[in-house]
Amino acid sequence: MNHADPQAAVTAYWSTRAPLFDGVASHVAQGDLWRAVLEAAFESDGPRDVVDLGSGTGACALIAAGLGHRVRGYDASPGMVAAARAAANAAGIEASFEIALIADIPAEDAGADIVTLRNVLWTLEQPMQALQTAHRLLRPGGRLVVSDGLWSVAPQYRSTYAPELSARLPLHDGITEPQMRLMLAEAGFTPLRAWQQLFPVSPYPGDVPFFVLSARKD
Ligand SMILES: C[S@@+](CC[C@H](N)C(=O)[O-])C[C@H]1O[C@@H](n2cnc3c(N)ncnc32)[C@H](O)[C@@H]1O
């Protein structure tokens, strides 16, 4: 891995994991629980324009599309985008997936009603930039639905990044809900509600503190 270019190393890591990721990711296995929680967090009464940042194998994007929304997913990793496209085809769900860095999303400003960002902030060199991108992509009144957790408490949820790479990622240990609320406010969002309490059982066994927060662009 090329640690002189942390993003290249992160992207290569996820392309390597892409073929097997759906088999190990607990938030994929818990798809039904996530569907109910995301549907609640979206608080929408009809189809919306949704952008999923760091869409991975498309688990979150495909839930949103299955709820009837018009969904575009973007991910840095070609392997992940290929897996997401294959998953959409296999499920007969309409959603588009493109290779793109969050810093460089080829979508128009203020064109989305909802932006989703699940389990991506921890693996970014510049997490605040991702919140700023979400803010740029949203229409006034649109909402960000962001989820992440304090991954350092449970070894099974840690990446196997080399230490030199982890050290370049400010949130590699994970994020707490209070920390997330501060970051959202700094990026210009008005935090709305927490939704993680809707899970009847944690989607992350091992007592990992995690959150699902919605926040509005005013
Ligand atoms: C833990 S996975 C989460 C995938 C998905 N959001 C989910 O919930 O299943 C993190 C994803 O972030 C992507 N990623 C990392 N850095 C990125 C960047 N700068 N721009 C876009 N995607 C990025 C990785 O390729 C990987 O697919």
Side-chain angles (χ1 to χ4, degrees), residues 186-202:
E186 193 183 329
F189 287 98
T190 304
L192 291 174
R193 291 179 63 180
W195 302 91
Q196 65 272 12
Q197 68 283 354
L198 296 185
F199 283 97
V201 293
S202 172

Side-chain angles (χ1 to χ4, degrees), residues 127-138:
M128 277 305 297
Q129 185 186 61
L131 298 184
Q132 287 152 4
T133 296
H135 199 272
R136 171 179 77 77
L137 294 173
L138 282 167

Side-chain angles (χ1 to χ4, degrees), residues 2-217:
N2 173 13
H3 301 301
D5 180 352
Q7 182 62 56
V10 166
T11 299
Y13 173 92
W14 288 105
S15 278
T16 305
R17 288 198 62 182
L20 296 176
F21 187 61
D22 281 354
V24 296
S26 62
H27 57 254
V28 175
Q30 311 272 13
D32 288 343
L33 298 181
W34 274 103
R35 180 173 298 103
V37 173
L38 290 175
E39 183 172 21
F42 290 169
E43 293 190 279
S44 66
D45 53 8
R48 296 285 184 266
D49 292 311
V50 176
V51 169
D52 186 33
L53 297 176
S55 47
T57 53
C60 191
L62 293 178
I63 288 173
L67 291 169
H69 301 298
R70 301 173 289 270
V71 181
R72 288 167 288 168
Y74 298 95
D75 199 283
S77 156
M80 284 295 198
V81 168
R85 288 177 178 158
N89 280 341
I93 291 177
E94 203 174 313
S96 74
F97 293 96
E98 281 185 50
I99 302 165
L101 290 172
I102 288 173
D104 210 12
I105 299 295
E108 70 280 18
D109 291 359
D113 301 301
I114 297 170
V115 170
T116 49
L117 188 58
R118 187 176 70 171
N119 297 351
V120 178
L121 291 171
W122 68 268
T123 189
L124 300 178
E125 263 194 294
Q126 297 184 56
M128 277 305 297
Q129 185 186 61
L131 298 184
Q132 287 152 4
T133 296
H135 199 272
R136 171 179 77 77
L137 294 173
L138 282 167
R139 298 187 171 114
R143 71 174 49 202
L144 170 64
V145 176
V146 57
S147 181
D148 225 296
L150 192 60
W151 310 114
S152 55
V153 307
Q156 70 268 34
Y157 298 117
R158 312 270 14 225
S159 73
T160 52
Y161 290 163
E164 313 85 84
L165 176 56
S166 311
R168 300 284 296 265
L169 310 175
L171 300 177
H172 184 257
D173 281 349
I175 315 162
T176 63
E177 183 181 336
Q179 193 181 359
M180 188 73 245
R181 286 180 178 274
L182 289 175
M183 289 173 66
L184 287 169
E186 193 183 329
F189 287 98
T190 304
L192 291 174
R193 291 179 63 180
W195 302 91
Q196 65 272 12
Q197 68 283 354
L198 296 185
F199 283 97
V201 293
S202 172
Y204 303 113
D207 286 336
V208 178
F210 76 104
F211 57 83
V212 181
L213 285 176
S214 55
R216 188 179 60 238
K217 171 178 173 174

